[in-house]
Every structure is written in structure tokens, then in C-alpha cells.
Amino acid sequence: MSIEQTVVITGAAGRTGRALVPRLRRRGRALRLVDTSRAGLELDVEPRDVSWHDVSIEDADGMERVMHGASALVHLAGLSSERPWADLLRVNIDGTHTVLEAARRAGVRRVLLASSIHAVGFQPVGAAASTTPLLPRPDTYYGVSKAAMEALGSLYADRFGMSVVSARICTFLEEPGDGRAVAQWLSPDDMARLVEASVALDDGSHHLVWGVSANAPAWFSLEAGHAIGYRPLDDARAVSIERDGVVPPDPDPTAPLGAAFTDERHPVGGTW
């Protein structure tokens, strides 16, 4: 099989990575899976299709070796919830810098960064419908680390001409939950569609895009996603009606986007 595209996926054994990998495999594409543990990742490895790389995102030399000859980077690795500041700085901020620098040095021009709704957690729900990307208003140290990730993505696009998509991922689940999750759901299939749009992009710009499905409550503007070719198809409300036989209630539109993560039940620097 002739390999036309090689995509590096960091955090490939994480919850999002495990769902994405089988959806991204296709003829002519090689996947380089990067993580420090394969636990939970069930996949037949074929030499010219998928390769496994036990490399930490804190290992600059190791990451540059993985990036050599690659076409695109999907950066999912990092701490996925609130932690002490030093840990988030080391892994989410410094680690993202290490990964981006390795990609730059290896000539990788297309990048998706897994940011989070928590980068704008103190923004009101109503602001998410704006076609202008929201300024960072993080709700936790974790949210700060994702805002820093976005800033690094912007720098690497403007300074080095890389095409970078910072995806503000909302609620990534196999199936939608209830309450706020009806509005915030990102399905695995739509996440794969977002990755496909990002790794095809080559405009040397930074894009802030909501990582969300086409949910009927329509809290989030999809315009920025459409501009890069991301067109989500799944709808949490339709899935919920088919599954449960009832129309789920609309979530409270007056709450901050970060919901409970903006109050004292989730103090900064703690763990949850």
C-alpha cells in the first residue's frame, strides 16, 4: 500500500484517542500512535498502516523522531482535568510547546490541538452563539492550560506558517447524556470529521473552532468550523429522543459555560 499521508496522534490511548484511531484509518494513510501506555487501545498493528511509539510529550528528542516525515499532528495528550498548577504547567503547557516545536522542526504544517470549553468557562452560555471566537475566560487552572495551548497554536501559525486548529472540545461521549450534555455533546464520528478537516487544512492560519456536534439546542456557532470544512452531522437531541422516547429539556441558558467548574465545589488546583 502506498502511503500518501502520515498523521501523528499524541495521547492515542486516551479516551478520545481510542475512539478516534479506528475512525481515522484509511487506505493511503499511516497513523503514528504516541502515548506512554497502550492500556485500553485494542488495535491490530500493521507495519505500513499503524505504528506504536512509547514516547512522552515531555521528551523533545523522542517527539522530533516521531514527527520526522509526518504530514499532520493531532495533539490529544495531556492532563484532562484540574490538577496542581505545577503539573498542568509541565504537561499541558510545556508539553504542548515541546510537541509543537518538534512538529515545526520536522516540517509538519497541519495541526489540531485539543483545547477545551474550560478555556472559556466563565463566558456566558449566550456568548457561544457569536460568530466571533470568544476571548479566554478560563474556569480552572486546567482551563488556563488550554488557553495557553491556544496561544501557542496562534504563535506557531503566525510565526512559522503552520495551519493550526484549536478545537474547544465540549462534552465528548459515545452517546449524549442529559441536561447540558444535550447542547454540548461531541460525538466520536463528529470528532473524526473535525480531525479530517484539520489535517486537510493548509492555509498557515490559526483557527478557534467549537468541538461540538450539530445539536438542536444550538448553543454554539458552527461558522468557524464550517470555514475549515468541518460539518458535524450528529444531533444529541435526535439521539436522545430515539433512545429515550422523550424530548430532553433544554439546559439552562443563563449558566456559565463552565457550569459547576466555576464555583467553589471545584477549587483551582484541586483534583476532580
Side-chain angles (χ1 to χ4, degrees), residues 124-200:
V125 164
S130 172
T131 58
T132 301
L134 301 184
L135 293 174
R137 287 186 64 184
D139 52 29
T140 47
Y141 286 158
Y142 170 73
V144 171
S145 76
K146 292 301 184 176
M149 170 184 282
E150 296 174 359
L152 282 166
S154 179
L155 172 65
Y156 273 74
D158 289 338
R159 176 69 70 168
F160 304 117
M162 297 165 69
S163 300
V164 182
V165 174
S166 292
R168 287 174 169 168
I169 295 174
C170 296
T171 304
F172 179 82
L173 294 169
E174 288 288 339
E175 291 190 356
D178 52 19
R180 295 173 62 91
V182 175
Q184 297 181 177
W185 185 48
L186 173 61
S187 73
D189 286 344
D190 280 336
M191 181 65 193
R193 294 181 184 106
L194 178 52
V195 170
E196 293 289 3
S198 300
V199 302

Side-chain angles (χ1 to χ4, degrees), residues 69-82:
S71 314
L73 163 67
V74 178
H75 180 44
L76 306 176
L79 299 174
S80 60
S81 60
E82 184 71 338

Side-chain angles (χ1 to χ4, degrees), residues 196-220:
E196 293 289 3
S198 300
V199 302
L201 194 65
D202 190 14
D203 64 355
S205 299
H206 180 240
H207 302 267
L208 282 167
V209 174
W210 287 113
V212 70
S213 289
N215 304 312
W219 280 11
F220 302 91

Side-chain angles (χ1 to χ4, degrees), residues 27-264:
R27 181 173 293 278
R29 173 182 288 167
L31 301 180
R32 295 180 186 169
L33 311 184
V34 180
D35 215 318
T36 54
S37 171
R38 290 190 62 170
L41 183 62
E42 301 294 336
L43 192 70
D44 293 331
V45 175
E46 304 170 7
R48 292 181 58 81
D49 176 13
V50 179
S51 58
W52 174 260
H53 303 266
D54 186 352
V55 179
S56 168
I57 61 171
E58 299 174 62
D59 178 355
D61 292 339
M63 285 306 310
E64 189 169 345
R65 286 193 297 272
V66 172
M67 296 288 180
H68 181 73
S71 314
L73 163 67
V74 178
H75 180 44
L76 306 176
L79 299 174
S80 60
S81 60
E82 184 71 338
R83 293 291 189 275
W85 173 257
D87 294 337
L88 289 160
L89 175 63
R90 175 177 55 84
V91 179
N92 287 13
I93 300 177
D94 288 345
T96 297
H97 171 260
T98 297
V99 169
L100 283 172
E101 185 62 9
R104 180 192 70 82
R105 291 172 64 88
V108 177
R109 292 184 49 82
R110 299 170 174 87
V111 178
L112 179 137
L113 300 175
S115 184
S116 170
I117 192 174
H118 294 288
V120 290
F122 271 104
Q123 291 279 9
V125 164
S130 172
T131 58
T132 301
L134 301 184
L135 293 174
R137 287 186 64 184
D139 52 29
T140 47
Y141 286 158
Y142 170 73
V144 171
S145 76
K146 292 301 184 176
M149 170 184 282
E150 296 174 359
L152 282 166
S154 179
L155 172 65
Y156 273 74
D158 289 338
R159 176 69 70 168
F160 304 117
M162 297 165 69
S163 300
V164 182
V165 174
S166 292
R168 287 174 169 168
I169 295 174
C170 296
T171 304
F172 179 82
L173 294 169
E174 288 288 339
E175 291 190 356
D178 52 19
R180 295 173 62 91
V182 175
Q184 297 181 177
W185 185 48
L186 173 61
S187 73
D189 286 344
D190 280 336
M191 181 65 193
R193 294 181 184 106
L194 178 52
V195 170
E196 293 289 3
S198 300
V199 302
L201 194 65
D202 190 14
D203 64 355
S205 299
H206 180 240
H207 302 267
L208 282 167
V209 174
W210 287 113
V212 70
S213 289
N215 304 312
W219 280 11
F220 302 91
S221 171
L222 300 179
E223 184 171 305
H226 289 169
I228 66 164
Y230 170 53
R231 296 190 176 274
L233 299 179
D234 294 328
D235 178 358
R237 178 163 293 190
V239 172
S240 297
I241 292 172
E242 181 178 356
R243 181 187 62 195
D244 303 327
V246 296
V247 177
D250 286 332
D252 179 4
T254 65
L257 285 167
F261 299 102
T262 63
D263 66 34
E264 62 184 12

